Amino acid sequence: MHSFGFRANAIVTFALTILAVICAMTSLSDNLNVPSPTADIKVLNINWFQKQPNGNEEVSLTLNISVDLQSMFTWNTKQVFVFVAAEYETPQNALNQVSLWDGIIPSKEDARFWIHTTNKYRFIDQGSNLRSKDFNLTLHWHVMPKTGKMSADKIVMTGYRLPDEYR
Amino acid sequence: MGDILFLHMSNDPIRAGEIVVYNIKGRSIPIVHRVVEVHQRQATGELDILTKGDNNREDDRTGLLYSPGQLWLQQHHIMGRAVGFLPYVGYFTIIMTDMPILKVCFCCPICSDWFLGIAGHYIKGVENLLGSLNGGLDK
């Protein structure tokens, strides 16, 4: 009963249990945080808008993305992944979500910024439904904790519209 | 590396931004990447899904992770969504996989008694040595 093996086993089990409890409490402490994120996205320019040889339309835009996610950061936050997606409907597809830009925010200080950029990823439709298309731009963020449950949310911005003609 | 990821699968349709685990036919290791594009059919609700690793420049189709000629993933390719993780705990599993002898040493009761017994003797020996050193210093 008092061999080294039994004692080592008891100590290791106890240590791992304590570790799990501490991780759970750390994760729960995130619920005390009341976040107040804000975001604004402007489409500064439609650079070009063309139909590819395979029949799919593609558009290139320049965006100004302005974000304040400082209130999302707690002591248990490792990083926040943020991305902008264009969302729209077509006759064939009830929902299309296309990610245009993303970034990793490593710390609270970096969480309030604005960026002036063309779309990082290509905006290509399944087909040619984009002329005169109304679309939303949604800013999504995923909070990655040092330990525990990940959380995600978004801000939907409406009122954007693509041109009637190719250019 | 070494983190344990918790996965959960529900029937809710996959949406952009979710981190998913998927398997491609013929590949042995499942891939954990983020969904960057979703196209959902009006009539059937079927989904075309495109994924990409956060740190990769290219999506998984351009990066040749899908089967040749495959443009999209479908919902049935997705094994689960990541919902949380424990850091570093996975190292224990990695070490056990890389050195299978440790599985025997720690998990098989007879061998672990023997292994820990030997370790115990070794530690007792060190204690004695330190004890005699301290005793020597006290005098």
Side-chain angles (χ1 to χ4, degrees):
Chain A
M1 249 348 267
H2 299 296
S3 75
F4 178 82
F6 277 115
R7 286 176 175 172
N9 180 50
I11 291 174
V12 170
T13 308
F14 187 55
L16 287 178
T17 310
I18 300 258
L19 178 65
V21 168
I22 292 179
C23 285
M25 281 168 31
T26 305
S27 186
L28 285 175
S29 76
D30 278 345
N31 294 355
L32 298 172
N33 188 42
V34 180
S36 52
T38 61
D40 180 55
I41 305 180
K42 293 188 188 31
V43 176
L44 297 175
N45 190 37
I46 305 284
N47 305 324
W48 49 265
F49 181 14
Q50 287 298 319
K51 186 168 173 169
Q52 296 174 344
N54 61 18
N56 294 335
E57 281 173 346
E58 180 175 355
V59 61
S60 164
L61 326 110
T62 302
L63 302 168
N64 184 310
I65 304 166
S66 158
V67 157
D68 182 355
L69 292 176
Q70 290 192 315
S71 58
M72 308 300 308
F73 275 81
T74 69
W75 68 297
N76 185 34
T77 305
K78 182 153 130 190
Q79 64 192 18
V80 173
F81 180 81
V82 63
F83 72 98
V84 170
E87 297 179 358
Y88 60 97
E89 186 178 346
T90 62
Q92 190 197 13
N93 291 337
L95 174 67
N96 298 281
Q97 293 177 309
V98 180
S99 176
L100 299 180
W101 174 89
D102 60 25
I104 293 178
I105 305 176
S107 69
K108 189 169 177 164
E109 294 71 46
D110 299 317
R112 189 208 249 158
F113 63 91
W114 61 268
I115 178 172
H116 189 122
T117 177
T118 56
N119 47 309
K120 192 170 172 184
Y121 306 113
R122 299 172 70 181
F123 186 169
I124 303 177
D125 186 31
Q126 285 188 330
S128 46
N129 307 291
L130 292 183
R131 274 162 293 175
S132 313
K133 177 58 67 184
D134 292 310
F135 65 101
N136 293 344
L137 285 175
T138 308
L139 183 89
H140 297 250
W141 59 86
H142 279 240
V143 180
M144 284 163 201
K146 294 192 174 107
T147 178
K149 196 172 180 325
M150 299 198 292
S151 71
D153 207 348
K154 59 188 181 184
I155 294 180
V156 182
M157 285 153 279
T158 61
Y160 305 91
R161 189 182 171 89
L162 287 171
D164 303 332
E165 299 292 326
Y166 294 142
R167 53 169 93 156
Chain B
M1 228 189 77
D3 301 333
I4 290 200
L5 205 56
F6 289 107
L7 301 180
H8 180 256
M9 191 56 192
S10 71
N11 278 331
D12 297 338
I14 303 283
R15 291 293 178 241
E18 293 174 357
I19 300 178
V20 297
V21 183
Y22 66 91
N23 244 323
I24 293 293
K25 255 200 276 265
R27 312 238 181 200
S28 52
I29 305 178
I31 300 177
V32 188
H33 274 173
R34 191 183 299 273
V35 174
V36 293
E37 256 186 60
V38 169
H39 300 276
Q40 179 171 346
R41 295 278 177 276
Q42 291 272 14
T44 61
E46 271 170 35
L47 296 170
D48 283 339
I49 297 163
L50 182 64
T51 56
K52 177 181 154 311
D54 286 349
N55 258 340
N56 295 349
R57 251 201 71 84
E58 306 163 324
D59 57 51
D60 292 350
R61 177 205 298 150
T62 315
L64 300 178
L65 285 175
Y66 297 168
S67 300
Q70 180 182 5
L71 297 176
W72 307 99
L73 293 177
Q74 268 70 54
Q75 181 115 7
H76 66 80
H77 289 117
I78 308 289
M79 288 156 48
R81 294 177 175 88
V83 293
F85 63 79
L86 283 179
Y88 304 123
V89 179
Y91 271 122
F92 189 58
T93 316
I94 291 173
I95 290 172
M96 296 255 270
T97 314
D98 285 347
M99 292 194 271
I101 189 68
L102 286 183
K103 267 193 217 151
V104 172
C105 287
F106 283 113
C107 297
C108 156
I110 297 173
C111 296
S112 69
D113 271 355
W114 171 86
F115 181 72
L116 292 171
I118 301 266
H121 284 303
Y122 175 71
I123 291 179
K124 274 214 198 76
V126 172
E127 280 174 8
N128 284 338
L129 179 64
L130 289 176
S132 69
L133 283 175
N134 279 338
L137 287 171
D138 278 352
K139 285 201 180 87

